[in-house]
Amino acid sequence: MKNLTIYHNPRCSKSRQTLELLSQKGFQPEVVEYLKTPLNESDIEALMSKLNIQDPRKMMRLKEKDYTDNNLGDDSISHDQLITAMTKYPKLIERPIVVNGNQAKIGRPPEAVLDIL
């Protein structure tokens, strides 16, 4: 059995659906409730690398109140400032994220994670 991790928000329907899908496929991932256990900058950078994305906004919830309230769509905001914003406001992080070794996928839709299992 592979060691999977899911960065999970139990209040999010897509996150719950993804966790259920993994369970149906016989996986019991480590569940990290990132709102209770916030990620630091290096955690976020590592996830971005595993997701194969360079732009932090690709891992952010762009319609989240914290995103608009902090004007994070402004092009002058640096990569590092966006990463810091995700540590300060973990709700900004897209969810769920499933990690398998050096690969990760955002579970939107939940079935998107199947190709890294």
Side-chain angles (χ1 to χ4, degrees):
M1 175 97 23
K2 295 179 181 176
N3 288 334
L4 293 180
T5 302
I6 182 171
Y7 291 87
H8 178 62
N9 177 352
R11 295 186 63 191
C12 171
S13 63
K14 294 292 183 214
S15 202
R16 290 192 308 271
Q17 290 167 12
T18 302
L19 189 57
E20 176 63 25
L21 178 64
L22 292 172
S23 179
Q24 289 171 359
K25 298 288 182 186
F27 295 97
Q28 296 178 324
E30 175 188 352
V31 176
V32 176
E33 289 189 33
Y34 65 92
L35 295 180
K36 291 182 181 175
T37 310
L39 305 175
N40 62 36
E41 282 93 346
S42 62
D43 295 332
I44 292 170
E45 292 279 6
L47 279 174
M48 286 179 56
S49 176
K50 290 175 183 182
L51 286 162
N52 198 27
I53 59 175
Q54 286 73 45
D55 180 357
R57 289 185 179 96
K58 301 255 189 251
M59 198 173 115
M60 297 174 84
R61 300 175 58 77
L62 306 182
K63 295 179 180 160
E64 194 65 48
K65 185 174 179 349
D66 290 329
Y67 187 86
T68 54
D69 286 357
N70 290 286
N71 200 26
L72 296 175
D74 185 323
D75 288 340
S76 69
I77 306 251
S78 74
H79 175 99
D80 290 344
Q81 288 171 310
L82 292 170
I83 300 292
T84 299
M86 283 190 269
T87 65
K88 188 172 180 182
Y89 307 105
K91 278 186 180 178
L92 289 174
I93 299 170
E94 190 57 89
R95 60 188 180 252
I97 299 173
V98 175
V99 177
N100 182 10
N102 289 323
Q103 295 182 300
K105 279 285 187 176
I106 295 173
R108 293 189 165 271
E111 296 77 22
V113 304
L114 294 176
D115 62 355
I116 65 165
L117 301 181

